[in-house]
PDB file of all heavy atoms in Angstrom:
ATOM      1  N   ASN L   1     131.948   9.900 103.905  1.00 95.00           N
ATOM      2  CA  ASN L   1     132.430  10.820 102.926  1.00 95.00           C
ATOM      3  C   ASN L   1     132.946  12.159 103.781  1.00 95.00           C
ATOM      4  O   ASN L   1     133.453  13.112 103.062  1.00 95.00           O
ATOM      5  CB  ASN L   1     131.418  11.329 101.996  1.00 95.00           C
ATOM      6  CG  ASN L   1     131.067  10.251 100.949  1.00 95.00           C
ATOM      7  OD1 ASN L   1     131.999   9.688 100.465  1.00 95.00           O
ATOM      8  ND2 ASN L   1     129.788   9.980 100.750  1.00 95.00           N
ATOM      9  N   ALA L   2     132.936  12.202 105.031  1.00 94.00           N
ATOM     10  CA  ALA L   2     133.328  13.331 105.758  1.00 94.00           C
ATOM     11  C   ALA L   2     134.898  13.577 105.488  1.00 94.00           C
ATOM     12  O   ALA L   2     135.728  12.612 105.441  1.00 94.00           O
ATOM     13  CB  ALA L   2     133.169  13.102 107.362  1.00 94.00           C
ATOM     14  N   ARG L   3     135.219  14.887 105.220  1.00 95.00           N
ATOM     15  CA  ARG L   3     136.601  15.305 104.983  1.00 95.00           C
ATOM     16  C   ARG L   3     137.095  14.753 103.612  1.00 95.00           C
ATOM     17  O   ARG L   3     138.327  15.049 103.278  1.00 95.00           O
ATOM     18  CB  ARG L   3     137.488  14.877 106.095  1.00 95.00           C
ATOM     19  CG  ARG L   3     137.339  15.705 107.316  1.00 95.00           C
ATOM     20  CD  ARG L   3     138.091  15.325 108.507  1.00 95.00           C
ATOM     21  NE  ARG L   3     137.711  14.207 109.214  1.00 95.00           N
ATOM     22  CZ  ARG L   3     136.547  14.083 110.054  1.00 95.00           C
ATOM     23  NH1 ARG L   3     135.811  15.194 110.009  1.00 95.00           N
ATOM     24  NH2 ARG L   3     136.328  13.074 110.737  1.00 95.00           N
ATOM     25  N   MET L   4     136.366  14.031 102.781  1.00 96.00           N
ATOM     26  CA  MET L   4     136.885  13.682 101.390  1.00 96.00           C
ATOM     27  C   MET L   4     137.179  14.929 100.613  1.00 96.00           C
ATOM     28  O   MET L   4     138.126  15.014  99.893  1.00 96.00           O
ATOM     29  CB  MET L   4     136.023  12.654 100.832  1.00 96.00           C
ATOM     30  CG  MET L   4     135.971  11.244 101.441  1.00 96.00           C
ATOM     31  SD  MET L   4     137.672  10.537 101.446  1.00 96.00           S
ATOM     32  CE  MET L   4     138.055  10.278  99.790  1.00 96.00           C
ATOM     33  N   LEU L   5     136.149  15.852 100.677  1.00 96.00           N
ATOM     34  CA  LEU L   5     136.344  17.097  99.797  1.00 96.00           C
ATOM     35  C   LEU L   5     137.507  17.851 100.242  1.00 96.00           C
ATOM     36  O   LEU L   5     138.293  18.409  99.418  1.00 96.00           O
ATOM     37  CB  LEU L   5     135.060  17.903  99.956  1.00 96.00           C
ATOM     38  CG  LEU L   5     135.083  19.114  99.154  1.00 96.00           C
ATOM     39  CD1 LEU L   5     135.164  18.781  97.620  1.00 96.00           C
ATOM     40  CD2 LEU L   5     133.680  19.959  99.318  1.00 96.00           C
ATOM     41  N   LEU L   6     137.845  17.996 101.593  1.00 96.00           N
ATOM     42  CA  LEU L   6     139.003  18.672 102.041  1.00 96.00           C
ATOM     43  C   LEU L   6     140.254  17.961 101.566  1.00 96.00           C
ATOM     44  O   LEU L   6     141.194  18.631 101.386  1.00 96.00           O
ATOM     45  CB  LEU L   6     138.938  18.658 103.591  1.00 96.00           C
ATOM     46  CG  LEU L   6     139.949  19.577 104.283  1.00 96.00           C
ATOM     47  CD1 LEU L   6     140.000  20.924 103.797  1.00 96.00           C
ATOM     48  CD2 LEU L   6     139.823  19.591 105.807  1.00 96.00           C
ATOM     49  N   ILE L   7     140.280  16.611 101.627  1.00 97.00           N
ATOM     50  CA  ILE L   7     141.453  15.960 101.192  1.00 97.00           C
ATOM     51  C   ILE L   7     141.660  16.335  99.614  1.00 97.00           C
ATOM     52  O   ILE L   7     142.868  16.595  99.322  1.00 97.00           O
ATOM     53  CB  ILE L   7     141.233  14.322 101.260  1.00 97.00           C
ATOM     54  CG1 ILE L   7     141.331  14.013 102.751  1.00 97.00           C
ATOM     55  CG2 ILE L   7     142.274  13.589 100.504  1.00 97.00           C
ATOM     56  CD1 ILE L   7     140.904  12.620 103.100  1.00 97.00           C
ATOM     57  N   LYS L   8     140.631  16.227  98.741  1.00 96.00           N
ATOM     58  CA  LYS L   8     140.763  16.546  97.363  1.00 96.00           C
ATOM     59  C   LYS L   8     141.191  17.991  97.242  1.00 96.00           C
ATOM     60  O   LYS L   8     141.985  18.184  96.334  1.00 96.00           O
ATOM     61  CB  LYS L   8     139.348  16.277  96.627  1.00 96.00           C
ATOM     62  CG  LYS L   8     139.080  14.819  96.480  1.00 96.00           C
ATOM     63  CD  LYS L   8     137.789  14.729  95.858  1.00 96.00           C
ATOM     64  CE  LYS L   8     137.236  13.331  95.725  1.00 96.00           C
ATOM     65  NZ  LYS L   8     135.944  13.317  95.080  1.00 96.00           N
ATOM     66  N   THR L   9     140.746  18.826  98.020  1.00 96.00           N
ATOM     67  CA  THR L   9     141.024  20.368  97.963  1.00 96.00           C
ATOM     68  C   THR L   9     142.588  20.537  98.269  1.00 96.00           C
ATOM     69  O   THR L   9     143.285  21.235  97.682  1.00 96.00           O
ATOM     70  CB  THR L   9     140.233  21.259  98.778  1.00 96.00           C
ATOM     71  OG1 THR L   9     138.780  21.052  98.493  1.00 96.00           O
ATOM     72  CG2 THR L   9     140.566  22.669  98.720  1.00 96.00           C
ATOM     73  N   THR L  10     142.995  19.811  99.367  1.00 97.00           N
ATOM     74  CA  THR L  10     144.523  19.902  99.682  1.00 97.00           C
ATOM     75  C   THR L  10     145.277  19.433  98.596  1.00 97.00           C
ATOM     76  O   THR L  10     146.389  19.884  98.264  1.00 97.00           O
ATOM     77  CB  THR L  10     144.684  19.137 101.046  1.00 97.00           C
ATOM     78  OG1 THR L  10     143.683  19.573 101.871  1.00 97.00           O
ATOM     79  CG2 THR L  10     145.945  19.338 101.530  1.00 97.00           C
ATOM     80  N   ILE L  11     144.898  18.253  97.887  1.00 97.00           N
ATOM     81  CA  ILE L  11     145.691  17.680  96.856  1.00 97.00           C
ATOM     82  C   ILE L  11     145.693  18.729  95.666  1.00 97.00           C
ATOM     83  O   ILE L  11     146.841  18.877  95.191  1.00 97.00           O
ATOM     84  CB  ILE L  11     145.054  16.287  96.405  1.00 97.00           C
ATOM     85  CG1 ILE L  11     145.242  15.323  97.361  1.00 97.00           C
ATOM     86  CG2 ILE L  11     145.671  15.933  94.978  1.00 97.00           C
ATOM     87  CD1 ILE L  11     144.451  13.979  97.153  1.00 97.00           C
ATOM     88  N   ALA L  12     144.643  19.459  95.357  1.00 96.00           N
ATOM     89  CA  ALA L  12     144.662  20.358  94.324  1.00 96.00           C
ATOM     90  C   ALA L  12     145.540  21.577  94.651  1.00 96.00           C
ATOM     91  O   ALA L  12     146.011  22.195  93.908  1.00 96.00           O
ATOM     92  CB  ALA L  12     143.176  20.743  93.980  1.00 96.00           C
ATOM     93  N   MET L  13     145.650  21.919  95.958  1.00 96.00           N
ATOM     94  CA  MET L  13     146.382  23.017  96.375  1.00 96.00           C
ATOM     95  C   MET L  13     147.915  22.847  96.273  1.00 96.00           C
ATOM     96  O   MET L  13     148.650  23.820  96.071  1.00 96.00           O
ATOM     97  CB  MET L  13     146.079  23.366  97.801  1.00 96.00           C
ATOM     98  CG  MET L  13     144.703  24.212  97.924  1.00 96.00           C
ATOM     99  SD  MET L  13     144.314  24.491  99.670  1.00 96.00           S
ATOM    100  CE  MET L  13     145.796  24.937 100.442  1.00 96.00           C
ATOM    101  N   CYS L  14     148.322  21.724  96.422  1.00 95.00           N
ATOM    102  CA  CYS L  14     149.806  21.396  96.444  1.00 95.00           C
ATOM    103  C   CYS L  14     150.502  21.961  95.314  1.00 95.00           C
ATOM    104  O   CYS L  14     151.450  22.657  95.300  1.00 95.00           O
ATOM    105  CB  CYS L  14     150.040  19.897  96.779  1.00 95.00           C
ATOM    106  SG  CYS L  14     149.794  19.400  98.382  1.00 95.00           S
ATOM    107  N   PRO L  15     150.038  21.623  94.029  1.00 95.00           N
ATOM    108  CA  PRO L  15     150.768  22.137  92.822  1.00 95.00           C
ATOM    109  C   PRO L  15     150.666  23.643  92.717  1.00 95.00           C
ATOM    110  O   PRO L  15     151.510  24.307  92.235  1.00 95.00           O
ATOM    111  CB  PRO L  15     150.088  21.536  91.744  1.00 95.00           C
ATOM    112  CG  PRO L  15     149.359  20.300  92.234  1.00 95.00           C
ATOM    113  CD  PRO L  15     148.993  20.638  93.564  1.00 95.00           C
ATOM    114  N   LEU L  16     149.502  24.228  93.104  1.00 95.00           N
ATOM    115  CA  LEU L  16     149.307  25.733  93.112  1.00 95.00           C
ATOM    116  C   LEU L  16     150.284  26.277  94.069  1.00 95.00           C
ATOM    117  O   LEU L  16     150.867  27.440  93.736  1.00 95.00           O
ATOM    118  CB  LEU L  16     147.859  26.076  93.509  1.00 95.00           C
ATOM    119  CG  LEU L  16     146.877  25.416  92.498  1.00 95.00           C
ATOM    120  CD1 LEU L  16     145.456  25.853  92.932  1.00 95.00           C
ATOM    121  CD2 LEU L  16     147.183  26.072  91.091  1.00 95.00           C
ATOM    122  N   ILE L  17     150.550  25.753  95.211  1.00 94.00           N
ATOM    123  CA  ILE L  17     151.477  26.374  96.179  1.00 94.00           C
ATOM    124  C   ILE L  17     152.964  26.224  95.659  1.00 94.00           C
ATOM    125  O   ILE L  17     153.706  27.103  95.686  1.00 94.00           O
ATOM    126  CB  ILE L  17     151.425  25.648  97.592  1.00 94.00           C
ATOM    127  CG1 ILE L  17     150.033  25.916  98.219  1.00 94.00           C
ATOM    128  CG2 ILE L  17     152.492  26.218  98.503  1.00 94.00           C
ATOM    129  CD1 ILE L  17     149.757  25.025  99.463  1.00 94.00           C
ATOM    130  N   GLY L  18     153.229  25.120  94.940  1.00 92.00           N
ATOM    131  CA  GLY L  18     154.428  25.041  94.237  1.00 92.00           C
ATOM    132  C   GLY L  18     154.647  26.098  93.140  1.00 92.00           C
ATOM    133  O   GLY L  18     155.794  26.656  92.976  1.00 92.00           O
ATOM    134  N   LEU L  19     153.580  26.402  92.459  1.00 92.00           N
ATOM    135  CA  LEU L  19     153.634  27.390  91.466  1.00 92.00           C
ATOM    136  C   LEU L  19     153.921  28.801  92.045  1.00 92.00           C
ATOM    137  O   LEU L  19     154.624  29.648  91.409  1.00 92.00           O
ATOM    138  CB  LEU L  19     152.414  27.497  90.517  1.00 92.00           C
ATOM    139  CG  LEU L  19     152.299  26.217  89.593  1.00 92.00           C
ATOM    140  CD1 LEU L  19     150.950  26.437  88.804  1.00 92.00           C
ATOM    141  CD2 LEU L  19     153.355  26.235  88.531  1.00 92.00           C
ATOM    142  N   LEU L  20     153.436  29.041  93.227  1.00 91.00           N
ATOM    143  CA  LEU L  20     153.641  30.245  93.865  1.00 91.00           C
ATOM    144  C   LEU L  20     155.165  30.310  94.187  1.00 91.00           C
ATOM    145  O   LEU L  20     155.779  31.420  94.061  1.00 91.00           O
ATOM    146  CB  LEU L  20     152.886  30.311  95.310  1.00 91.00           C
ATOM    147  CG  LEU L  20     153.133  31.454  96.177  1.00 91.00           C
ATOM    148  CD1 LEU L  20     152.828  32.828  95.398  1.00 91.00           C
ATOM    149  CD2 LEU L  20     152.536  31.286  97.449  1.00 91.00           C
ATOM    150  N   GLY L  21     155.686  29.205  94.533  1.00 88.00           N
ATOM    151  CA  GLY L  21     157.245  29.149  94.773  1.00 88.00           C
ATOM    152  C   GLY L  21     157.940  29.518  93.357  1.00 88.00           C
ATOM    153  O   GLY L  21     159.011  30.103  93.426  1.00 88.00           O
ATOM    154  N   THR L  22     157.415  28.979  92.388  1.00 88.00           N
ATOM    155  CA  THR L  22     158.067  29.316  91.010  1.00 88.00           C
ATOM    156  C   THR L  22     158.184  30.788  90.768  1.00 88.00           C
ATOM    157  O   THR L  22     158.984  31.353  90.392  1.00 88.00           O
ATOM    158  CB  THR L  22     157.325  28.592  89.812  1.00 88.00           C
ATOM    159  OG1 THR L  22     157.380  27.219  90.123  1.00 88.00           O
ATOM    160  CG2 THR L  22     157.935  28.895  88.473  1.00 88.00           C
ATOM    161  N   VAL L  23     156.941  31.405  91.041  1.00 88.00           N
ATOM    162  CA  VAL L  23     156.873  32.882  90.821  1.00 88.00           C
ATOM    163  C   VAL L  23     157.813  33.617  91.757  1.00 88.00           C
ATOM    164  O   VAL L  23     158.559  34.401  91.301  1.00 88.00           O
ATOM    165  CB  VAL L  23     155.475  33.368  91.112  1.00 88.00           C
ATOM    166  CG1 VAL L  23     155.307  34.846  91.064  1.00 88.00           C
ATOM    167  CG2 VAL L  23     154.632  32.682  90.024  1.00 88.00           C
ATOM    168  N   THR L  24     157.890  33.287  93.016  1.00 85.00           N
ATOM    169  CA  THR L  24     158.811  34.052  93.994  1.00 85.00           C
ATOM    170  C   THR L  24     160.192  33.691  93.635  1.00 85.00           C
ATOM    171  O   THR L  24     161.076  34.612  93.689  1.00 85.00           O
ATOM    172  CB  THR L  24     158.501  33.634  95.424  1.00 85.00           C
ATOM    173  OG1 THR L  24     158.538  32.127  95.638  1.00 85.00           O
ATOM    174  CG2 THR L  24     157.071  33.956  95.825  1.00 85.00           C
ATOM    175  N   GLY L  25     160.473  32.408  93.143  1.00 83.00           N
ATOM    176  CA  GLY L  25     161.901  32.174  92.726  1.00 83.00           C
ATOM    177  C   GLY L  25     162.296  32.989  91.555  1.00 83.00           C
ATOM    178  O   GLY L  25     163.419  33.483  91.345  1.00 83.00           O
ATOM    179  N   MET L  26     161.415  33.079  90.523  1.00 85.00           N
ATOM    180  CA  MET L  26     161.717  34.028  89.336  1.00 85.00           C
ATOM    181  C   MET L  26     161.871  35.396  89.621  1.00 85.00           C
ATOM    182  O   MET L  26     162.706  36.058  89.076  1.00 85.00           O
ATOM    183  CB  MET L  26     160.683  33.691  88.268  1.00 85.00           C
ATOM    184  CG  MET L  26     160.650  32.361  87.627  1.00 85.00           C
ATOM    185  SD  MET L  26     162.253  31.709  87.209  1.00 85.00           S
ATOM    186  CE  MET L  26     162.686  32.819  85.838  1.00 85.00           C
ATOM    187  N   ILE L  27     161.022  35.894  90.649  1.00 85.00           N
ATOM    188  CA  ILE L  27     161.273  37.254  91.164  1.00 85.00           C
ATOM    189  C   ILE L  27     162.663  37.367  91.669  1.00 85.00           C
ATOM    190  O   ILE L  27     163.376  38.480  91.317  1.00 85.00           O
ATOM    191  CB  ILE L  27     160.189  37.623  92.095  1.00 85.00           C
ATOM    192  CG1 ILE L  27     158.895  37.726  91.392  1.00 85.00           C
ATOM    193  CG2 ILE L  27     160.522  38.855  92.842  1.00 85.00           C
ATOM    194  CD1 ILE L  27     157.691  37.950  92.410  1.00 85.00           C
ATOM    195  N   THR L  28     163.109  36.373  92.479  1.00 79.00           N
ATOM    196  CA  THR L  28     164.531  36.441  92.911  1.00 79.00           C
ATOM    197  C   THR L  28     165.482  36.505  91.861  1.00 79.00           C
ATOM    198  O   THR L  28     166.506  37.200  91.901  1.00 79.00           O
ATOM    199  CB  THR L  28     164.772  35.221  93.852  1.00 79.00           C
ATOM    200  OG1 THR L  28     163.780  35.242  94.835  1.00 79.00           O
ATOM    201  CG2 THR L  28     166.148  35.252  94.472  1.00 79.00           C
ATOM    202  N   VAL L  29     165.281  35.725  90.747  1.00 80.00           N
ATOM    203  CA  VAL L  29     166.249  35.681  89.789  1.00 80.00           C
ATOM    204  C   VAL L  29     166.316  37.093  88.951  1.00 80.00           C
ATOM    205  O   VAL L  29     167.310  37.633  88.698  1.00 80.00           O
ATOM    206  CB  VAL L  29     165.780  34.601  88.585  1.00 80.00           C
ATOM    207  CG1 VAL L  29     166.533  34.830  87.263  1.00 80.00           C
ATOM    208  CG2 VAL L  29     166.003  33.211  89.212  1.00 80.00           C
ATOM    209  N   PHE L  30     165.053  37.618  88.787  1.00 82.00           N
ATOM    210  CA  PHE L  30     165.036  38.990  88.173  1.00 82.00           C
ATOM    211  C   PHE L  30     165.656  40.037  89.047  1.00 82.00           C
ATOM    212  O   PHE L  30     166.404  40.950  88.517  1.00 82.00           O
ATOM    213  CB  PHE L  30     163.627  39.409  87.678  1.00 82.00           C
ATOM    214  CG  PHE L  30     163.062  38.419  86.694  1.00 82.00           C
ATOM    215  CD1 PHE L  30     161.800  37.969  86.755  1.00 82.00           C
ATOM    216  CD2 PHE L  30     163.837  38.100  85.499  1.00 82.00           C
ATOM    217  CE1 PHE L  30     161.340  37.185  85.734  1.00 82.00           C
ATOM    218  CE2 PHE L  30     163.397  37.342  84.582  1.00 82.00           C
ATOM    219  CZ  PHE L  30     162.044  36.791  84.693  1.00 82.00           C
ATOM    220  N   GLU L  31     165.424  39.945  90.283  1.00 81.00           N
ATOM    221  CA  GLU L  31     166.174  40.883  91.244  1.00 81.00           C
ATOM    222  C   GLU L  31     167.610  40.832  91.241  1.00 81.00           C
ATOM    223  O   GLU L  31     168.401  41.755  91.249  1.00 81.00           O
ATOM    224  CB  GLU L  31     165.659  40.737  92.663  1.00 81.00           C
ATOM    225  CG  GLU L  31     164.239  41.236  92.942  1.00 81.00           C
ATOM    226  CD  GLU L  31     163.750  40.867  94.324  1.00 81.00           C
ATOM    227  OE1 GLU L  31     164.458  40.288  95.153  1.00 81.00           O
ATOM    228  OE2 GLU L  31     162.753  41.489  94.766  1.00 81.00           O
ATOM    229  N   THR L  32     168.009  39.447  91.116  1.00 78.00           N
ATOM    230  CA  THR L  32     169.630  39.331  91.038  1.00 78.00           C
ATOM    231  C   THR L  32     170.110  39.893  89.712  1.00 78.00           C
ATOM    232  O   THR L  32     171.191  40.515  89.784  1.00 78.00           O
ATOM    233  CB  THR L  32     169.826  37.676  91.175  1.00 78.00           C
ATOM    234  OG1 THR L  32     169.377  37.286  92.370  1.00 78.00           O
ATOM    235  CG2 THR L  32     171.274  37.567  90.951  1.00 78.00           C
ATOM    236  N   MET L  33     169.373  39.670  88.713  1.00 78.00           N
ATOM    237  CA  MET L  33     169.755  40.189  87.384  1.00 78.00           C
ATOM    238  C   MET L  33     169.897  41.686  87.322  1.00 78.00           C
ATOM    239  O   MET L  33     170.624  42.327  86.744  1.00 78.00           O
ATOM    240  CB  MET L  33     168.879  39.632  86.283  1.00 78.00           C
ATOM    241  CG  MET L  33     169.173  38.256  86.025  1.00 78.00           C
ATOM    242  SD  MET L  33     167.951  37.507  84.855  1.00 78.00           S
ATOM    243  CE  MET L  33     168.197  38.300  83.433  1.00 78.00           C
TER     244      MET L  33
END
C-alpha cells in the first residue's frame, strides 16, 4: 500500500489545479474587459 495515498491525493489535486487555471483565466478576462 506504500504510495497509494499519494497517488489518490495527486488524482484529487488535478481538477483543483485546473480550477485554479479557471480562476486565473477569468481574472485575465476581467482585466481585459
